[in-house]
Amino acid sequence: ETLRLQQRVDNSLNKYSITTIGEYLQIGANDIRLKCTDTYGNVDERYFSITAINLVIASDFSGVTPYQNDSQKKDDITIRCTPYGDISKEIHFLLEDKEIKSVTTNSSATTTPYVITMDEINKQFKDTMHGAYRLSMYMTASIDGELLKSNTLEYEIIIYNSTYNQPIISSYFNVKSCEQGEQISIPYQVFHRNSVTNDVTLTIIGVEDGEEYVSSQTLSVSRDRQYWNTRRYPTGKVTFRLQCTVNGE
């Protein structure tokens, strides 16, 4: 399919004109012709080749599976990713902003499973891992010496040590502001190695009418992902606290 765009620009001598054509480019190779005609009918032309790349990464990874990492067992983390972009590109996997693994691929629009091992993670994290950790992934590609970066996908996963008894709460929520009365939906997951259900206390702390505002509720939840949905909170700076206590820990 050939797209023909013709635009006339009247301009004074010795002045530059900038025309944006990005919205008209198609993914892949594009041939651009620039034609200039003066008042005397003299014509000059220039030709350019532009390659448009749609660099996007998608994944159906849920992040709800807890992963064991200790001397007894080391679980692999399998992430199914779909990279888009007809170019050689590198997929970067990071945990707490530390790059754990990178993979080079030429595939586009093809879903492929990638495995991150605990040994790869432990090379970057020397201390015992027991808690919630932010996992992120994105792609980079180089075109004519320019580095391009895709969108970034972020999750929060649970990695636990079976010798630890402390419960773990994971909750990836990056909303910084909202209008009062707007529904807030905070995803969270509660995990304890010895229990399939746990009590979690959800507390809202703020200031209302010049006085401290505290609203709290305790729920019994499974290990599945839960959602804290609420429209009731004061204006100003508000703290949403999730707390799980098991045997005083």
Side-chain angles (χ1 to χ4, degrees), residues 68-71 121-122 124-133 159-166 168:
Q68 186 172 341
N69 183 16
D70 53 41
S71 58
I121 291 176
N122 292 337
Q124 297 291 338
F125 295 84
K126 304 302 182 183
D127 296 333
T128 300
M129 301 188 71
H130 185 83
Y133 300 86
I159 299 177
Y160 70 97
N161 187 301
S162 62
T163 63
Y164 282 49
N165 196 47
Q166 294 91 340
I168 299 173

PDB file of all heavy atoms in Angstrom, residues 68-71 121-122 124-133 159-166 168:
ATOM      1  N   GLN A  68      10.043 -19.815  45.791  1.00  0.00           N
ATOM      2  CA  GLN A  68      10.939 -20.209  46.883  1.00  0.00           C
ATOM      3  C   GLN A  68      12.386 -20.039  46.447  1.00  0.00           C
ATOM      4  O   GLN A  68      12.765 -20.356  45.316  1.00  0.00           O
ATOM      5  CB  GLN A  68      10.672 -21.659  47.285  1.00  0.00           C
ATOM      6  CG  GLN A  68      11.454 -22.119  48.521  1.00  0.00           C
ATOM      7  CD  GLN A  68      11.016 -23.499  48.989  1.00  0.00           C
ATOM      8  OE1 GLN A  68       9.932 -23.959  48.643  1.00  0.00           O
ATOM      9  NE2 GLN A  68      11.856 -24.142  49.785  1.00  0.00           N
ATOM     10  N   ASN A  69      13.211 -19.556  47.369  1.00  0.00           N
ATOM     11  CA  ASN A  69      14.629 -19.333  47.083  1.00  0.00           C
ATOM     12  C   ASN A  69      15.438 -19.589  48.350  1.00  0.00           C
ATOM     13  O   ASN A  69      15.666 -18.693  49.159  1.00  0.00           O
ATOM     14  CB  ASN A  69      14.854 -17.905  46.571  1.00  0.00           C
ATOM     15  CG  ASN A  69      16.311 -17.651  46.200  1.00  0.00           C
ATOM     16  OD1 ASN A  69      17.093 -18.587  46.040  1.00  0.00           O
ATOM     17  ND2 ASN A  69      16.678 -16.388  46.068  1.00  0.00           N
ATOM     18  N   ASP A  70      15.853 -20.828  48.531  1.00  0.00           N
ATOM     19  CA  ASP A  70      16.670 -21.185  49.685  1.00  0.00           C
ATOM     20  C   ASP A  70      17.449 -22.453  49.357  1.00  0.00           C
ATOM     21  O   ASP A  70      17.459 -22.918  48.219  1.00  0.00           O
ATOM     22  CB  ASP A  70      15.813 -21.343  50.949  1.00  0.00           C
ATOM     23  CG  ASP A  70      14.646 -22.307  50.757  1.00  0.00           C
ATOM     24  OD1 ASP A  70      14.839 -23.352  50.109  1.00  0.00           O
ATOM     25  OD2 ASP A  70      13.533 -22.003  51.249  1.00  0.00           O
ATOM     26  N   SER A  71      18.085 -23.026  50.371  1.00  0.00           N
ATOM     27  CA  SER A  71      18.920 -24.203  50.133  1.00  0.00           C
ATOM     28  C   SER A  71      18.099 -25.440  49.783  1.00  0.00           C
ATOM     29  O   SER A  71      18.612 -26.393  49.185  1.00  0.00           O
ATOM     30  CB  SER A  71      19.781 -24.483  51.372  1.00  0.00           C
ATOM     31  OG  SER A  71      18.951 -24.684  52.516  1.00  0.00           O
ATOM     32  N   ILE A 121      19.423 -14.548  39.923  1.00  0.00           N
ATOM     33  CA  ILE A 121      19.021 -13.502  40.872  1.00  0.00           C
ATOM     34  C   ILE A 121      20.009 -13.392  42.025  1.00  0.00           C
ATOM     35  O   ILE A 121      20.405 -12.297  42.444  1.00  0.00           O
ATOM     36  CB  ILE A 121      17.596 -13.781  41.388  1.00  0.00           C
ATOM     37  CG1 ILE A 121      16.580 -13.583  40.262  1.00  0.00           C
ATOM     38  CG2 ILE A 121      17.257 -12.888  42.586  1.00  0.00           C
ATOM     39  CD1 ILE A 121      15.157 -13.922  40.649  1.00  0.00           C
ATOM     40  N   ASN A 122      20.444 -14.533  42.537  1.00  0.00           N
ATOM     41  CA  ASN A 122      21.331 -14.537  43.702  1.00  0.00           C
ATOM     42  C   ASN A 122      22.704 -13.940  43.394  1.00  0.00           C
ATOM     43  O   ASN A 122      23.429 -13.557  44.320  1.00  0.00           O
ATOM     44  CB  ASN A 122      21.474 -15.954  44.241  1.00  0.00           C
ATOM     45  CG  ASN A 122      20.182 -16.475  44.851  1.00  0.00           C
ATOM     46  OD1 ASN A 122      19.313 -15.700  45.254  1.00  0.00           O
ATOM     47  ND2 ASN A 122      20.029 -17.793  44.894  1.00  0.00           N
ATOM     48  N   GLN A 124      23.046 -11.155  41.983  1.00  0.00           N
ATOM     49  CA  GLN A 124      22.871  -9.728  42.223  1.00  0.00           C
ATOM     50  C   GLN A 124      22.453  -9.418  43.659  1.00  0.00           C
ATOM     51  O   GLN A 124      22.670  -8.308  44.141  1.00  0.00           O
ATOM     52  CB  GLN A 124      21.814  -9.171  41.255  1.00  0.00           C
ATOM     53  CG  GLN A 124      22.180  -9.262  39.785  1.00  0.00           C
ATOM     54  CD  GLN A 124      23.322  -8.335  39.425  1.00  0.00           C
ATOM     55  OE1 GLN A 124      23.589  -7.348  40.121  1.00  0.00           O
ATOM     56  NE2 GLN A 124      24.028  -8.648  38.349  1.00  0.00           N
ATOM     57  N   PHE A 125      21.854 -10.401  44.333  1.00  0.00           N
ATOM     58  CA  PHE A 125      21.378 -10.193  45.706  1.00  0.00           C
ATOM     59  C   PHE A 125      22.084 -11.187  46.617  1.00  0.00           C
ATOM     60  O   PHE A 125      21.783 -12.379  46.611  1.00  0.00           O
ATOM     61  CB  PHE A 125      19.865 -10.379  45.782  1.00  0.00           C
ATOM     62  CG  PHE A 125      19.077  -9.357  45.014  1.00  0.00           C
ATOM     63  CD1 PHE A 125      18.847  -9.532  43.648  1.00  0.00           C
ATOM     64  CD2 PHE A 125      18.584  -8.221  45.634  1.00  0.00           C
ATOM     65  CE1 PHE A 125      18.125  -8.590  42.923  1.00  0.00           C
ATOM     66  CE2 PHE A 125      17.864  -7.279  44.916  1.00  0.00           C
ATOM     67  CZ  PHE A 125      17.636  -7.469  43.560  1.00  0.00           C
ATOM     68  N   LYS A 126      22.996 -10.689  47.399  1.00  0.00           N
ATOM     69  CA  LYS A 126      23.808 -11.565  48.253  1.00  0.00           C
ATOM     70  C   LYS A 126      23.094 -11.935  49.547  1.00  0.00           C
ATOM     71  O   LYS A 126      23.346 -12.992  50.117  1.00  0.00           O
ATOM     72  CB  LYS A 126      25.142 -10.878  48.574  1.00  0.00           C
ATOM     73  CG  LYS A 126      25.938 -10.465  47.337  1.00  0.00           C
ATOM     74  CD  LYS A 126      26.249 -11.654  46.427  1.00  0.00           C
ATOM     75  CE  LYS A 126      27.079 -11.239  45.228  1.00  0.00           C
ATOM     76  NZ  LYS A 126      27.322 -12.373  44.298  1.00  0.00           N
ATOM     77  N   ASP A 127      22.209 -11.050  50.033  1.00  0.00           N
ATOM     78  CA  ASP A 127      21.513 -11.323  51.290  1.00  0.00           C
ATOM     79  C   ASP A 127      20.348 -12.285  51.058  1.00  0.00           C
ATOM     80  O   ASP A 127      19.881 -12.477  49.929  1.00  0.00           O
ATOM     81  CB  ASP A 127      20.996 -10.020  51.904  1.00  0.00           C
ATOM     82  CG  ASP A 127      22.131  -9.085  52.298  1.00  0.00           C
ATOM     83  OD1 ASP A 127      23.231  -9.593  52.575  1.00  0.00           O
ATOM     84  OD2 ASP A 127      21.910  -7.857  52.298  1.00  0.00           O
ATOM     85  N   THR A 128      19.872 -12.884  52.140  1.00  0.00           N
ATOM     86  CA  THR A 128      18.712 -13.772  52.069  1.00  0.00           C
ATOM     87  C   THR A 128      17.502 -13.009  51.549  1.00  0.00           C
ATOM     88  O   THR A 128      17.217 -11.890  51.999  1.00  0.00           O
ATOM     89  CB  THR A 128      18.399 -14.357  53.454  1.00  0.00           C
ATOM     90  OG1 THR A 128      19.530 -15.094  53.920  1.00  0.00           O
ATOM     91  CG2 THR A 128      17.187 -15.268  53.395  1.00  0.00           C
ATOM     92  N   MET A 129      16.780 -13.611  50.621  1.00  0.00           N
ATOM     93  CA  MET A 129      15.638 -12.944  50.015  1.00  0.00           C
ATOM     94  C   MET A 129      14.346 -13.490  50.617  1.00  0.00           C
ATOM     95  O   MET A 129      14.057 -14.680  50.541  1.00  0.00           O
ATOM     96  CB  MET A 129      15.641 -13.140  48.502  1.00  0.00           C
ATOM     97  CG  MET A 129      16.894 -12.610  47.825  1.00  0.00           C
ATOM     98  SD  MET A 129      16.789 -12.651  46.027  1.00  0.00           S
ATOM     99  CE  MET A 129      15.584 -11.352  45.733  1.00  0.00           C
ATOM    100  N   HIS A 130      13.578 -12.586  51.208  1.00  0.00           N
ATOM    101  CA  HIS A 130      12.289 -12.955  51.784  1.00  0.00           C
ATOM    102  C   HIS A 130      11.440 -11.697  51.815  1.00  0.00           C
ATOM    103  O   HIS A 130      11.589 -10.835  52.682  1.00  0.00           O
ATOM    104  CB  HIS A 130      12.465 -13.521  53.197  1.00  0.00           C
ATOM    105  CG  HIS A 130      11.176 -14.034  53.788  1.00  0.00           C
ATOM    106  ND1 HIS A 130      10.682 -15.291  53.512  1.00  0.00           N
ATOM    107  CD2 HIS A 130      10.280 -13.454  54.638  1.00  0.00           C
ATOM    108  CE1 HIS A 130       9.549 -15.481  54.165  1.00  0.00           C
ATOM    109  NE2 HIS A 130       9.290 -14.366  54.862  1.00  0.00           N
ATOM    110  N   GLY A 131      10.546 -11.557  50.815  1.00  0.00           N
ATOM    111  CA  GLY A 131       9.735 -10.350  50.751  1.00  0.00           C
ATOM    112  C   GLY A 131       9.148 -10.137  49.368  1.00  0.00           C
ATOM    113  O   GLY A 131       9.101 -11.046  48.538  1.00  0.00           O
ATOM    114  N   ALA A 132       8.677  -8.916  49.141  1.00  0.00           N
ATOM    115  CA  ALA A 132       8.107  -8.536  47.853  1.00  0.00           C
ATOM    116  C   ALA A 132       9.143  -7.719  47.086  1.00  0.00           C
ATOM    117  O   ALA A 132       9.773  -6.807  47.641  1.00  0.00           O
ATOM    118  CB  ALA A 132       6.831  -7.720  48.060  1.00  0.00           C
ATOM    119  N   TYR A 133       9.307  -8.023  45.793  1.00  0.00           N
ATOM    120  CA  TYR A 133      10.343  -7.395  44.972  1.00  0.00           C
ATOM    121  C   TYR A 133       9.733  -6.940  43.645  1.00  0.00           C
ATOM    122  O   TYR A 133       8.915  -7.650  43.049  1.00  0.00           O
ATOM    123  CB  TYR A 133      11.490  -8.369  44.708  1.00  0.00           C
ATOM    124  CG  TYR A 133      12.168  -8.858  45.966  1.00  0.00           C
ATOM    125  CD1 TYR A 133      11.669  -9.960  46.658  1.00  0.00           C
ATOM    126  CD2 TYR A 133      13.290  -8.216  46.467  1.00  0.00           C
ATOM    127  CE1 TYR A 133      12.277 -10.409  47.821  1.00  0.00           C
ATOM    128  CE2 TYR A 133      13.911  -8.661  47.632  1.00  0.00           C
ATOM    129  CZ  TYR A 133      13.398  -9.761  48.300  1.00  0.00           C
ATOM    130  OH  TYR A 133      14.011 -10.193  49.456  1.00  0.00           O
ATOM    131  N   ILE A 159       9.158 -13.487  46.745  1.00  0.00           N
ATOM    132  CA  ILE A 159      10.225 -14.480  46.856  1.00  0.00           C
ATOM    133  C   ILE A 159      10.401 -14.771  48.343  1.00  0.00           C
ATOM    134  O   ILE A 159      10.566 -13.843  49.141  1.00  0.00           O
ATOM    135  CB  ILE A 159      11.541 -13.969  46.242  1.00  0.00           C
ATOM    136  CG1 ILE A 159      11.352 -13.669  44.749  1.00  0.00           C
ATOM    137  CG2 ILE A 159      12.664 -14.987  46.435  1.00  0.00           C
ATOM    138  CD1 ILE A 159      12.586 -13.100  44.073  1.00  0.00           C
ATOM    139  N   TYR A 160      10.361 -16.044  48.719  1.00  0.00           N
ATOM    140  CA  TYR A 160      10.399 -16.360  50.138  1.00  0.00           C
ATOM    141  C   TYR A 160      11.454 -17.416  50.458  1.00  0.00           C
ATOM    142  O   TYR A 160      11.854 -18.221  49.603  1.00  0.00           O
ATOM    143  CB  TYR A 160       9.024 -16.836  50.632  1.00  0.00           C
ATOM    144  CG  TYR A 160       8.608 -18.201  50.123  1.00  0.00           C
ATOM    145  CD1 TYR A 160       8.794 -19.346  50.900  1.00  0.00           C
ATOM    146  CD2 TYR A 160       8.020 -18.353  48.873  1.00  0.00           C
ATOM    147  CE1 TYR A 160       8.416 -20.600  50.448  1.00  0.00           C
ATOM    148  CE2 TYR A 160       7.626 -19.597  48.411  1.00  0.00           C
ATOM    149  CZ  TYR A 160       7.827 -20.719  49.193  1.00  0.00           C
ATOM    150  OH  TYR A 160       7.453 -21.958  48.736  1.00  0.00           O
ATOM    151  N   ASN A 161      11.887 -17.375  51.709  1.00  0.00           N
ATOM    152  CA  ASN A 161      12.806 -18.360  52.271  1.00  0.00           C
ATOM    153  C   ASN A 161      12.016 -19.215  53.251  1.00  0.00           C
ATOM    154  O   ASN A 161      11.382 -18.690  54.172  1.00  0.00           O
ATOM    155  CB  ASN A 161      13.972 -17.656  52.965  1.00  0.00           C
ATOM    156  CG  ASN A 161      15.047 -18.618  53.428  1.00  0.00           C
ATOM    157  OD1 ASN A 161      14.788 -19.516  54.222  1.00  0.00           O
ATOM    158  ND2 ASN A 161      16.260 -18.431  52.948  1.00  0.00           N
ATOM    159  N   SER A 162      12.034 -20.530  53.065  1.00  0.00           N
ATOM    160  CA  SER A 162      11.186 -21.424  53.859  1.00  0.00           C
ATOM    161  C   SER A 162      11.577 -21.481  55.328  1.00  0.00           C
ATOM    162  O   SER A 162      10.824 -22.012  56.152  1.00  0.00           O
ATOM    163  CB  SER A 162      11.201 -22.839  53.269  1.00  0.00           C
ATOM    164  OG  SER A 162      12.518 -23.377  53.303  1.00  0.00           O
ATOM    165  N   THR A 163      12.734 -20.952  55.686  1.00  0.00           N
ATOM    166  CA  THR A 163      13.139 -20.951  57.099  1.00  0.00           C
ATOM    167  C   THR A 163      12.631 -19.705  57.825  1.00  0.00           C
ATOM    168  O   THR A 163      12.785 -19.599  59.034  1.00  0.00           O
ATOM    169  CB  THR A 163      14.671 -21.018  57.224  1.00  0.00           C
ATOM    170  OG1 THR A 163      15.252 -19.846  56.643  1.00  0.00           O
ATOM    171  CG2 THR A 163      15.210 -22.251  56.526  1.00  0.00           C
ATOM    172  N   TYR A 164      12.046 -18.768  57.085  1.00  0.00           N
ATOM    173  CA  TYR A 164      11.522 -17.545  57.681  1.00  0.00           C
ATOM    174  C   TYR A 164      10.026 -17.709  57.926  1.00  0.00           C
ATOM    175  O   TYR A 164       9.316 -18.308  57.121  1.00  0.00           O
ATOM    176  CB  TYR A 164      11.753 -16.345  56.760  1.00  0.00           C
ATOM    177  CG  TYR A 164      13.166 -15.807  56.800  1.00  0.00           C
ATOM    178  CD1 TYR A 164      14.258 -16.650  56.666  1.00  0.00           C
ATOM    179  CD2 TYR A 164      13.408 -14.452  56.955  1.00  0.00           C
ATOM    180  CE1 TYR A 164      15.554 -16.161  56.689  1.00  0.00           C
ATOM    181  CE2 TYR A 164      14.698 -13.952  56.978  1.00  0.00           C
ATOM    182  CZ  TYR A 164      15.765 -14.812  56.851  1.00  0.00           C
ATOM    183  OH  TYR A 164      17.042 -14.326  56.875  1.00  0.00           O
ATOM    184  N   ASN A 165       9.552 -17.118  59.025  1.00  0.00           N
ATOM    185  CA  ASN A 165       8.143 -17.254  59.392  1.00  0.00           C
ATOM    186  C   ASN A 165       7.351 -15.978  59.168  1.00  0.00           C
ATOM    187  O   ASN A 165       6.141 -15.947  59.359  1.00  0.00           O
ATOM    188  CB  ASN A 165       8.021 -17.671  60.867  1.00  0.00           C
ATOM    189  CG  ASN A 165       6.642 -18.199  61.202  1.00  0.00           C
ATOM    190  OD1 ASN A 165       6.097 -19.026  60.478  1.00  0.00           O
ATOM    191  ND2 ASN A 165       6.062 -17.699  62.294  1.00  0.00           N
ATOM    192  N   GLN A 166       8.000 -14.897  58.763  1.00  0.00           N
ATOM    193  CA  GLN A 166       7.299 -13.633  58.579  1.00  0.00           C
ATOM    194  C   GLN A 166       6.379 -13.678  57.366  1.00  0.00           C
ATOM    195  O   GLN A 166       6.742 -14.208  56.322  1.00  0.00           O
ATOM    196  CB  GLN A 166       8.285 -12.471  58.401  1.00  0.00           C
ATOM    197  CG  GLN A 166       9.117 -12.160  59.625  1.00  0.00           C
ATOM    198  CD  GLN A 166      10.417 -12.934  59.618  1.00  0.00           C
ATOM    199  OE1 GLN A 166      10.551 -13.941  58.922  1.00  0.00           O
ATOM    200  NE2 GLN A 166      11.383 -12.463  60.385  1.00  0.00           N
ATOM    201  N   ILE A 168       4.333 -12.084  54.111  1.00  0.00           N
ATOM    202  CA  ILE A 168       4.766 -11.161  53.052  1.00  0.00           C
ATOM    203  C   ILE A 168       3.529 -10.567  52.388  1.00  0.00           C
ATOM    204  O   ILE A 168       2.575 -11.288  52.064  1.00  0.00           O
ATOM    205  CB  ILE A 168       5.618 -11.882  51.995  1.00  0.00           C
ATOM    206  CG1 ILE A 168       6.887 -12.461  52.625  1.00  0.00           C
ATOM    207  CG2 ILE A 168       5.983 -10.938  50.852  1.00  0.00           C
ATOM    208  CD1 ILE A 168       7.679 -13.333  51.662  1.00  0.00           C
TER     209      ILE A 168
END
